[in-house]
Amino acid sequence: MQIINGKTQFEPPVIHAENIVKTYYPGTENELEILHGINLEIQRGEFVSIVGQSGSGKSTLMNILGLLDRPTKGSYFMNGENMNAAPDKALAHIRNKSIGFVFQNYNLIARTNGISNVELPMLYAGMSPRARKERAIQLLEMVGMQERMDHTPDELSGGQKQRVAIARAMANDPDVILADEPTGALDSKTGHLVMDIFHRLHEEEHKTIILITHSNELAAETNRIIHIKDGEIVPA
Amino acid sequence: MILENLKLAIASIKANKMRSFLTMLGIIIGISSVIAIMTVGNSLTKAEQESMSSMGANNIMVGVYSASDDSVTLPTFSEENMQSIVKAYGNRIKAIGMESQVGSGTSRSQVSSDSKTTSVTVDGVNPGYFKANNISIIKGSTFSSSTYESGSNVAIVSDVFAEAIFGSVEDAMGESVEINVDNNYTNYTIVGAYKFENTGTLGTKKSTTFFIPIKAAENQLHNSDIYGFTVVAKDGSDSAALAKDIKTLIKKQIKIEEGVTLYADSMQSYIEEASKMLGTITIAIAMIAGIALLVGGIGVMNIMTVSITERTREIGTRKALGAENYQILLQFVTEAIILCLFGGIIGVIIGVSLGLVAASAIGYAGSISIASVLGSVGFSMAVGLFFGYAPARKAAKMNPIDALRYE
Ligand SMILES: Nc1ncnc2c1ncn2[C@@H]1O[C@H](COP(=O)(O)OP(=O)(O)OP(=O)(O)O)[C@@H](O)[C@H]1O
Ligand SMILES: [Mg+2]
C-alpha cells in the first residue's frame, strides 16, 4: 500500500512467489527436489538479503526470481503479472527491462570494454548508440569507474569488475536488482565498497534489491533478512 | 539491429584475432586456390584468343583431309576455285591466300648465295596470301599479276633472311639466290621482303619462309598441290556464314571421294571452341579446388562450434541481459558470415596475386576473372551462413541458466 498524492493506492509487490517448488530431473529416479514450496513477497523499494547454508537453494530460488529458470510447481508473479505462462521471448524482454543481475563471478563480456559491457542491455533494448553511450558513461561515473571505462575486464580488479557489473545491471533502470553473492569473491574492504553502492542505489534511486550473501554483517545492513534452510524459508 | 549485429560481430572477431584467423584459414586457402586457378585459366584463354585473333579473327580455313588410310587421293584446289569464290562472294572477302606445300611444309631447302647457305621453308603462294595471313611486305611488293600468272622465278624473303645473307633488306632486292629442293636447283630473283614475326602460339618458332609464285613452284619443284587455302572475310561480315557458303560452292566444284572431308572453318569458331574447352578444363580444376573450399567450410563449422561452446557463459550472460534467441542467432551467424567474407576477400587477394604470378611465369599476360572473384566472395558468405547456422542456432536455443552455469 502506498500513498500517492494523498490517495491510497494498491501496488502489487515487485516479487510474489507462491508455493514455488524446484525439482531437478523430474520423473526420473535421480529426481531431486531442491525448493520445497517457497512463499515470498518483496515490495517495491525493499532491500532484502537472503542467507542460508551452502547448498540450501538460494541461487536456485534467485534464478527463478530472475526468470533465468522456471519453477517446477507454484506461481511466480512479477509486478502482479503471472510469469508461468509467459513465453521465452517475453521473459527475455522482462529480464532486459525489469531485472538487473549482479553475479558473484561478474560475468562481464570478455575482451569488451566497460562502456560496451554497460551498453549491452540498452543495445538489446533497442536504444540509440548515442543515448546508450551517454547513459553508460553516467552509470560508470556513478560507480566510480569513470577513469577505467574503456578497460577490458582482464585489466580490472575484482572490485572494479563488480562495479562495472553493477553499472550494467542499472542500465535499463530495472525494477529489481538481483545480486547473488556479489561480494563473495572480494576482500571485506572491497566488499563494503560494493555494498555501499547498493545502499546508494537503494536510498537514492529507490531500487528494490535482493542480495544473497554469506556475510551476516552485510545482511544485517539490509531491511529484511530471509533465512533459507534445505530449500525452505525458515524463521530467523 | 542489423548494423548493431555487424558491430557486435566485428567487435567479437577483433576481440579474438587468433581464433578468427584460424577460422578464416580454411576459407582463405579454398578461395585463393579457386581464384588462382581461375586467374591462370582466364589468362590462358585470353592469350589463346588473342593469339588466334592475331592470326586473323576473320580468317576462314578451307581444306581437305582424310580421316582414313592412304588409299584415298585427296583432291587439290586450283586457281579456278579461288576465282569462283571471288566472283560469288567478292563483296564479303578481303583476301584469299593460297599456299602450295613445297617440301611438305616442314622440309627445308638449301639456299646458297656466294658461300652463305641457310635453310628455309619454300612455299608457293598467291599474291593474296600475304594479306590473308597478315604478313606485311616491308620492301618491294607482292608478286605482280604478270609475274604471278607466268610463274616467273621471283621470290619474297623475310627481313631476317635478307639481313643474314645480304646484310640488309635493301641490298637483297634484285639479288639472285639458288634454291635446292630434293636436288632440284633453281635460281630466284628477290622482288620483296616481308617482316618476319614470331607469332607462334605457345612460343613455337615460325621458320623463315621463302615465298615464290604457285606456278613457279609447280614448274620447277614438281610439287604444287594445294590442299588448303585461307579466305579472309571483310571486317563486319559474318565469317561463319561465309565459311558455310564457300564450302557449299567448293563442294560443287571438286570431286570428293569417300573418306575425305572438306572443311571450311572460320577462325571465330576455332576461337570459340578453344575458349570453351579451356573454360571447361578451368572449371573442372576449380571444382577440385572447390573441395578445399568445402573443407574450409567444415573448418568454419568446427571452429564456430568450439567458439560457441567456449562462449557458452557469454551466451548465458547475454540472455540474462535480455538478448532474445534471434539476437544470439543473428550475432553468431553474422559473425560466421563476416569471418568467411573477410576470409574470402583475403583469399581473393592471395589467389589473384598467385594466379597473376603463375600466369606470367608460364609466359602469359595475367587476366583476372571478375565473375569468379565475385562468385567466390558470394560463395564464401554462403559458406559462412550455411556452416555457421547450425552452431549458432544451438547457441540461440540454449536455456539461459544452463548457459550461465556452464563450466
Ligand atoms: N542444474 C542442477 N542440476 C542438479 N542439481 C542442481 C542444479 N543446480 C543446483 N543443484 C543442486 O541444488 C542445490 C542448491 O543449489 P544452489 O546453487 O541453489 O545452492 P546455494 O544455496 O546457492 O549454495 P551456495 O551458497 O553454495 O551458492 C545443490 O545441492 C545443488 O547441487
Ligand atoms: Mg549460490
Side-chain angles (χ1 to χ4, degrees), chain B residues 32-61:
Chain B
S32 58
S33 38
V34 170
I35 291 289
I37 289 162
M38 293 302 279
T39 304
V40 171
N42 203 53
S43 308
L44 231 93
T45 311
K46 256 274 179 43
E48 281 305 311
Q49 276 173 358
E50 268 161 24
S51 119
M52 280 175 133
S53 348
S54 80
M55 280 154 50
N58 294 333
N59 285 16
I60 296 162
M61 277 65 63

PDB file of all heavy atoms in Angstrom, chain B residues 32-61:
ATOM      1  N   SER B  32      41.549 -18.907 -52.272  1.00  0.00           N
ATOM      2  CA  SER B  32      42.723 -18.486 -53.033  1.00  0.00           C
ATOM      3  C   SER B  32      43.093 -19.527 -54.081  1.00  0.00           C
ATOM      4  O   SER B  32      43.506 -19.173 -55.174  1.00  0.00           O
ATOM      5  CB  SER B  32      43.902 -18.163 -52.113  1.00  0.00           C
ATOM      6  OG  SER B  32      44.232 -19.274 -51.334  1.00  0.00           O
ATOM      7  N   SER B  33      42.902 -20.834 -53.767  1.00  0.00           N
ATOM      8  CA  SER B  33      43.245 -21.814 -54.800  1.00  0.00           C
ATOM      9  C   SER B  33      42.261 -21.738 -55.959  1.00  0.00           C
ATOM     10  O   SER B  33      42.663 -21.821 -57.118  1.00  0.00           O
ATOM     11  CB  SER B  33      43.346 -23.228 -54.232  1.00  0.00           C
ATOM     12  OG  SER B  33      42.389 -23.470 -53.257  1.00  0.00           O
ATOM     13  N   VAL B  34      40.975 -21.578 -55.644  1.00  0.00           N
ATOM     14  CA  VAL B  34      39.997 -21.466 -56.735  1.00  0.00           C
ATOM     15  C   VAL B  34      40.325 -20.252 -57.612  1.00  0.00           C
ATOM     16  O   VAL B  34      40.394 -20.352 -58.840  1.00  0.00           O
ATOM     17  CB  VAL B  34      38.556 -21.335 -56.171  1.00  0.00           C
ATOM     18  CG1 VAL B  34      37.581 -20.979 -57.274  1.00  0.00           C
ATOM     19  CG2 VAL B  34      38.127 -22.623 -55.500  1.00  0.00           C
ATOM     20  N   ILE B  35      40.558 -19.126 -56.947  1.00  0.00           N
ATOM     21  CA  ILE B  35      40.796 -17.891 -57.694  1.00  0.00           C
ATOM     22  C   ILE B  35      42.105 -17.972 -58.487  1.00  0.00           C
ATOM     23  O   ILE B  35      42.171 -17.531 -59.640  1.00  0.00           O
ATOM     24  CB  ILE B  35      40.831 -16.677 -56.738  1.00  0.00           C
ATOM     25  CG1 ILE B  35      39.432 -16.428 -56.176  1.00  0.00           C
ATOM     26  CG2 ILE B  35      41.345 -15.428 -57.429  1.00  0.00           C
ATOM     27  CD1 ILE B  35      38.439 -15.887 -57.154  1.00  0.00           C
ATOM     28  N   ALA B  36      43.142 -18.555 -57.881  1.00  0.00           N
ATOM     29  CA  ALA B  36      44.423 -18.664 -58.586  1.00  0.00           C
ATOM     30  C   ALA B  36      44.236 -19.458 -59.873  1.00  0.00           C
ATOM     31  O   ALA B  36      44.690 -19.057 -60.943  1.00  0.00           O
ATOM     32  CB  ALA B  36      45.470 -19.317 -57.688  1.00  0.00           C
ATOM     33  N   ILE B  37      43.519 -20.583 -59.759  1.00  0.00           N
ATOM     34  CA  ILE B  37      43.307 -21.429 -60.935  1.00  0.00           C
ATOM     35  C   ILE B  37      42.465 -20.697 -61.973  1.00  0.00           C
ATOM     36  O   ILE B  37      42.769 -20.698 -63.170  1.00  0.00           O
ATOM     37  CB  ILE B  37      42.653 -22.764 -60.522  1.00  0.00           C
ATOM     38  CG1 ILE B  37      43.669 -23.610 -59.767  1.00  0.00           C
ATOM     39  CG2 ILE B  37      42.117 -23.502 -61.737  1.00  0.00           C
ATOM     40  CD1 ILE B  37      43.071 -24.716 -58.963  1.00  0.00           C
ATOM     41  N   MET B  38      41.418 -20.032 -61.496  1.00  0.00           N
ATOM     42  CA  MET B  38      40.563 -19.301 -62.433  1.00  0.00           C
ATOM     43  C   MET B  38      41.351 -18.189 -63.128  1.00  0.00           C
ATOM     44  O   MET B  38      41.146 -17.923 -64.306  1.00  0.00           O
ATOM     45  CB  MET B  38      39.346 -18.696 -61.712  1.00  0.00           C
ATOM     46  CG  MET B  38      38.359 -19.715 -61.176  1.00  0.00           C
ATOM     47  SD  MET B  38      37.671 -20.823 -62.423  1.00  0.00           S
ATOM     48  CE  MET B  38      36.393 -19.807 -63.109  1.00  0.00           C
ATOM     49  N   THR B  39      42.235 -17.541 -62.376  1.00  0.00           N
ATOM     50  CA  THR B  39      43.021 -16.453 -62.965  1.00  0.00           C
ATOM     51  C   THR B  39      43.964 -16.993 -64.032  1.00  0.00           C
ATOM     52  O   THR B  39      44.060 -16.442 -65.125  1.00  0.00           O
ATOM     53  CB  THR B  39      43.812 -15.705 -61.878  1.00  0.00           C
ATOM     54  OG1 THR B  39      42.892 -15.252 -60.889  1.00  0.00           O
ATOM     55  CG2 THR B  39      44.562 -14.517 -62.454  1.00  0.00           C
ATOM     56  N   VAL B  40      44.652 -18.101 -63.708  1.00  0.00           N
ATOM     57  CA  VAL B  40      45.546 -18.699 -64.701  1.00  0.00           C
ATOM     58  C   VAL B  40      44.740 -19.134 -65.920  1.00  0.00           C
ATOM     59  O   VAL B  40      45.100 -18.838 -67.068  1.00  0.00           O
ATOM     60  CB  VAL B  40      46.319 -19.898 -64.102  1.00  0.00           C
ATOM     61  CG1 VAL B  40      47.080 -20.638 -65.185  1.00  0.00           C
ATOM     62  CG2 VAL B  40      47.273 -19.427 -63.025  1.00  0.00           C
ATOM     63  N   GLY B  41      43.613 -19.806 -65.662  1.00  0.00           N
ATOM     64  CA  GLY B  41      42.763 -20.287 -66.755  1.00  0.00           C
ATOM     65  C   GLY B  41      42.287 -19.143 -67.623  1.00  0.00           C
ATOM     66  O   GLY B  41      42.308 -19.212 -68.849  1.00  0.00           O
ATOM     67  N   ASN B  42      41.871 -18.073 -66.966  1.00  0.00           N
ATOM     68  CA  ASN B  42      41.366 -16.912 -67.681  1.00  0.00           C
ATOM     69  C   ASN B  42      42.470 -16.264 -68.515  1.00  0.00           C
ATOM     70  O   ASN B  42      42.247 -15.861 -69.659  1.00  0.00           O
ATOM     71  CB  ASN B  42      40.802 -15.914 -66.667  1.00  0.00           C
ATOM     72  CG  ASN B  42      39.794 -14.988 -67.290  1.00  0.00           C
ATOM     73  OD1 ASN B  42      38.839 -15.454 -67.915  1.00  0.00           O
ATOM     74  ND2 ASN B  42      40.010 -13.698 -67.137  1.00  0.00           N
ATOM     75  N   SER B  43      43.671 -16.191 -67.918  1.00  0.00           N
ATOM     76  CA  SER B  43      44.803 -15.604 -68.641  1.00  0.00           C
ATOM     77  C   SER B  43      45.122 -16.427 -69.885  1.00  0.00           C
ATOM     78  O   SER B  43      45.365 -15.895 -70.958  1.00  0.00           O
ATOM     79  CB  SER B  43      46.036 -15.550 -67.735  1.00  0.00           C
ATOM     80  OG  SER B  43      45.730 -14.933 -66.521  1.00  0.00           O
ATOM     81  N   LEU B  44      45.084 -17.759 -69.690  1.00  0.00           N
ATOM     82  CA  LEU B  44      45.377 -18.673 -70.793  1.00  0.00           C
ATOM     83  C   LEU B  44      44.356 -18.500 -71.910  1.00  0.00           C
ATOM     84  O   LEU B  44      44.709 -18.393 -73.084  1.00  0.00           O
ATOM     85  CB  LEU B  44      45.309 -20.108 -70.259  1.00  0.00           C
ATOM     86  CG  LEU B  44      46.501 -20.982 -70.576  1.00  0.00           C
ATOM     87  CD1 LEU B  44      47.492 -20.911 -69.436  1.00  0.00           C
ATOM     88  CD2 LEU B  44      46.041 -22.411 -70.779  1.00  0.00           C
ATOM     89  N   THR B  45      43.086 -18.483 -71.527  1.00  0.00           N
ATOM     90  CA  THR B  45      42.014 -18.346 -72.506  1.00  0.00           C
ATOM     91  C   THR B  45      42.163 -17.045 -73.272  1.00  0.00           C
ATOM     92  O   THR B  45      42.088 -17.020 -74.499  1.00  0.00           O
ATOM     93  CB  THR B  45      40.650 -18.369 -71.787  1.00  0.00           C
ATOM     94  OG1 THR B  45      40.632 -19.484 -70.902  1.00  0.00           O
ATOM     95  CG2 THR B  45      39.508 -18.480 -72.765  1.00  0.00           C
ATOM     96  N   LYS B  46      42.379 -15.971 -72.526  1.00  0.00           N
ATOM     97  CA  LYS B  46      42.540 -14.649 -73.134  1.00  0.00           C
ATOM     98  C   LYS B  46      43.710 -14.651 -74.126  1.00  0.00           C
ATOM     99  O   LYS B  46      43.593 -14.181 -75.255  1.00  0.00           O
ATOM    100  CB  LYS B  46      42.834 -13.614 -72.042  1.00  0.00           C
ATOM    101  CG  LYS B  46      41.655 -12.731 -71.677  1.00  0.00           C
ATOM    102  CD  LYS B  46      41.553 -11.542 -72.589  1.00  0.00           C
ATOM    103  CE  LYS B  46      40.394 -10.606 -72.317  1.00  0.00           C
ATOM    104  NZ  LYS B  46      40.137 -10.299 -70.919  1.00  0.00           N
ATOM    105  N   ALA B  47      44.850 -15.233 -73.669  1.00  0.00           N
ATOM    106  CA  ALA B  47      46.046 -15.248 -74.507  1.00  0.00           C
ATOM    107  C   ALA B  47      45.806 -16.061 -75.770  1.00  0.00           C
ATOM    108  O   ALA B  47      46.185 -15.647 -76.870  1.00  0.00           O
ATOM    109  CB  ALA B  47      47.217 -15.809 -73.719  1.00  0.00           C
ATOM    110  N   GLU B  48      45.159 -17.225 -75.616  1.00  0.00           N
ATOM    111  CA  GLU B  48      44.871 -18.064 -76.774  1.00  0.00           C
ATOM    112  C   GLU B  48      43.961 -17.324 -77.749  1.00  0.00           C
ATOM    113  O   GLU B  48      44.177 -17.338 -78.953  1.00  0.00           O
ATOM    114  CB  GLU B  48      44.211 -19.370 -76.337  1.00  0.00           C
ATOM    115  CG  GLU B  48      45.202 -20.394 -75.785  1.00  0.00           C
ATOM    116  CD  GLU B  48      46.343 -20.704 -76.759  1.00  0.00           C
ATOM    117  OE1 GLU B  48      46.055 -20.968 -77.943  1.00  0.00           O
ATOM    118  OE2 GLU B  48      47.503 -20.644 -76.348  1.00  0.00           O
ATOM    119  N   GLN B  49      42.957 -16.678 -77.182  1.00  0.00           N
ATOM    120  CA  GLN B  49      42.024 -15.920 -78.019  1.00  0.00           C
ATOM    121  C   GLN B  49      42.764 -14.847 -78.795  1.00  0.00           C
ATOM    122  O   GLN B  49      42.573 -14.693 -79.994  1.00  0.00           O
ATOM    123  CB  GLN B  49      40.961 -15.243 -77.147  1.00  0.00           C
ATOM    124  CG  GLN B  49      39.794 -16.153 -76.812  1.00  0.00           C
ATOM    125  CD  GLN B  49      38.855 -15.513 -75.825  1.00  0.00           C
ATOM    126  OE1 GLN B  49      39.087 -14.399 -75.361  1.00  0.00           O
ATOM    127  NE2 GLN B  49      37.793 -16.219 -75.500  1.00  0.00           N
ATOM    128  N   GLU B  50      43.637 -14.126 -78.070  1.00  0.00           N
ATOM    129  CA  GLU B  50      44.353 -13.037 -78.717  1.00  0.00           C
ATOM    130  C   GLU B  50      45.293 -13.556 -79.783  1.00  0.00           C
ATOM    131  O   GLU B  50      45.395 -13.013 -80.874  1.00  0.00           O
ATOM    132  CB  GLU B  50      45.126 -12.216 -77.678  1.00  0.00           C
ATOM    133  CG  GLU B  50      44.296 -11.053 -77.178  1.00  0.00           C
ATOM    134  CD  GLU B  50      44.802 -10.503 -75.861  1.00  0.00           C
ATOM    135  OE1 GLU B  50      46.000 -10.688 -75.544  1.00  0.00           O
ATOM    136  OE2 GLU B  50      43.983  -9.908 -75.140  1.00  0.00           O
ATOM    137  N   SER B  51      45.989 -14.653 -79.447  1.00  0.00           N
ATOM    138  CA  SER B  51      46.947 -15.177 -80.413  1.00  0.00           C
ATOM    139  C   SER B  51      46.226 -15.711 -81.634  1.00  0.00           C
ATOM    140  O   SER B  51      46.681 -15.564 -82.763  1.00  0.00           O
ATOM    141  CB  SER B  51      47.823 -16.238 -79.744  1.00  0.00           C
ATOM    142  OG  SER B  51      47.682 -17.472 -80.365  1.00  0.00           O
ATOM    143  N   MET B  52      45.058 -16.314 -81.422  1.00  0.00           N
ATOM    144  CA  MET B  52      44.296 -16.820 -82.552  1.00  0.00           C
ATOM    145  C   MET B  52      43.743 -15.664 -83.382  1.00  0.00           C
ATOM    146  O   MET B  52      43.747 -15.720 -84.610  1.00  0.00           O
ATOM    147  CB  MET B  52      43.172 -17.725 -82.079  1.00  0.00           C
ATOM    148  CG  MET B  52      43.676 -19.117 -81.741  1.00  0.00           C
ATOM    149  SD  MET B  52      42.385 -20.134 -81.050  1.00  0.00           S
ATOM    150  CE  MET B  52      42.602 -21.626 -81.997  1.00  0.00           C
ATOM    151  N   SER B  53      43.284 -14.616 -82.696  1.00  0.00           N
ATOM    152  CA  SER B  53      42.765 -13.496 -83.487  1.00  0.00           C
ATOM    153  C   SER B  53      43.881 -12.774 -84.209  1.00  0.00           C
ATOM    154  O   SER B  53      43.658 -12.224 -85.277  1.00  0.00           O
ATOM    155  CB  SER B  53      41.987 -12.485 -82.648  1.00  0.00           C
ATOM    156  OG  SER B  53      41.698 -12.930 -81.400  1.00  0.00           O
ATOM    157  N   SER B  54      45.095 -12.792 -83.621  1.00  0.00           N
ATOM    158  CA  SER B  54      46.201 -12.137 -84.309  1.00  0.00           C
ATOM    159  C   SER B  54      46.523 -12.884 -85.594  1.00  0.00           C
ATOM    160  O   SER B  54      47.035 -12.324 -86.546  1.00  0.00           O
ATOM    161  CB  SER B  54      47.428 -12.077 -83.405  1.00  0.00           C
ATOM    162  OG  SER B  54      48.098 -13.315 -83.419  1.00  0.00           O
ATOM    163  N   MET B  55      46.216 -14.164 -85.582  1.00  0.00           N
ATOM    164  CA  MET B  55      46.402 -14.936 -86.805  1.00  0.00           C
ATOM    165  C   MET B  55      45.281 -14.639 -87.786  1.00  0.00           C
ATOM    166  O   MET B  55      45.273 -15.110 -88.912  1.00  0.00           O
ATOM    167  CB  MET B  55      46.417 -16.433 -86.488  1.00  0.00           C
ATOM    168  CG  MET B  55      47.767 -16.882 -85.963  1.00  0.00           C
ATOM    169  SD  MET B  55      47.694 -18.335 -84.925  1.00  0.00           S
ATOM    170  CE  MET B  55      46.749 -19.450 -85.908  1.00  0.00           C
ATOM    171  N   GLY B  56      44.326 -13.878 -87.363  1.00  0.00           N
ATOM    172  CA  GLY B  56      43.241 -13.490 -88.239  1.00  0.00           C
ATOM    173  C   GLY B  56      41.905 -13.954 -87.732  1.00  0.00           C
ATOM    174  O   GLY B  56      41.491 -15.084 -87.967  1.00  0.00           O
ATOM    175  N   ALA B  57      41.243 -13.082 -87.016  1.00  0.00           N
ATOM    176  CA  ALA B  57      39.946 -13.443 -86.456  1.00  0.00           C
ATOM    177  C   ALA B  57      38.918 -13.643 -87.558  1.00  0.00           C
ATOM    178  O   ALA B  57      37.954 -14.377 -87.403  1.00  0.00           O
ATOM    179  CB  ALA B  57      39.472 -12.360 -85.495  1.00  0.00           C
ATOM    180  N   ASN B  58      39.159 -13.009 -88.722  1.00  0.00           N
ATOM    181  CA  ASN B  58      38.207 -13.112 -89.824  1.00  0.00           C
ATOM    182  C   ASN B  58      38.575 -14.224 -90.806  1.00  0.00           C
ATOM    183  O   ASN B  58      37.973 -14.350 -91.855  1.00  0.00           O
ATOM    184  CB  ASN B  58      38.134 -11.773 -90.573  1.00  0.00           C
ATOM    185  CG  ASN B  58      37.557 -10.675 -89.707  1.00  0.00           C
ATOM    186  OD1 ASN B  58      36.783 -10.957 -88.798  1.00  0.00           O
ATOM    187  ND2 ASN B  58      37.949  -9.444 -89.980  1.00  0.00           N
ATOM    188  N   ASN B  59      39.621 -14.965 -90.448  1.00  0.00           N
ATOM    189  CA  ASN B  59      40.084 -15.991 -91.386  1.00  0.00           C
ATOM    190  C   ASN B  59      39.160 -17.195 -91.439  1.00  0.00           C
ATOM    191  O   ASN B  59      38.579 -17.590 -90.431  1.00  0.00           O
ATOM    192  CB  ASN B  59      41.480 -16.477 -90.982  1.00  0.00           C
ATOM    193  CG  ASN B  59      42.547 -15.458 -91.319  1.00  0.00           C
ATOM    194  OD1 ASN B  59      42.236 -14.296 -91.570  1.00  0.00           O
ATOM    195  ND2 ASN B  59      43.795 -15.893 -91.325  1.00  0.00           N
ATOM    196  N   ILE B  60      39.079 -17.731 -92.680  1.00  0.00           N
ATOM    197  CA  ILE B  60      38.352 -18.984 -92.857  1.00  0.00           C
ATOM    198  C   ILE B  60      39.339 -19.966 -93.477  1.00  0.00           C
ATOM    199  O   ILE B  60      39.943 -19.681 -94.514  1.00  0.00           O
ATOM    200  CB  ILE B  60      37.139 -18.800 -93.795  1.00  0.00           C
ATOM    201  CG1 ILE B  60      36.133 -17.835 -93.146  1.00  0.00           C
ATOM    202  CG2 ILE B  60      36.493 -20.147 -94.121  1.00  0.00           C
ATOM    203  CD1 ILE B  60      35.146 -17.259 -94.130  1.00  0.00           C
ATOM    204  N   MET B  61      39.545 -21.077 -92.799  1.00  0.00           N
ATOM    205  CA  MET B  61      40.470 -22.075 -93.316  1.00  0.00           C
ATOM    206  C   MET B  61      39.667 -23.091 -94.123  1.00  0.00           C
ATOM    207  O   MET B  61      38.749 -23.707 -93.597  1.00  0.00           O
ATOM    208  CB  MET B  61      41.193 -22.799 -92.178  1.00  0.00           C
ATOM    209  CG  MET B  61      42.406 -22.054 -91.643  1.00  0.00           C
ATOM    210  SD  MET B  61      41.995 -20.490 -90.845  1.00  0.00           S
ATOM    211  CE  MET B  61      41.011 -21.063 -89.481  1.00  0.00           C
TER     212      MET B  61
END
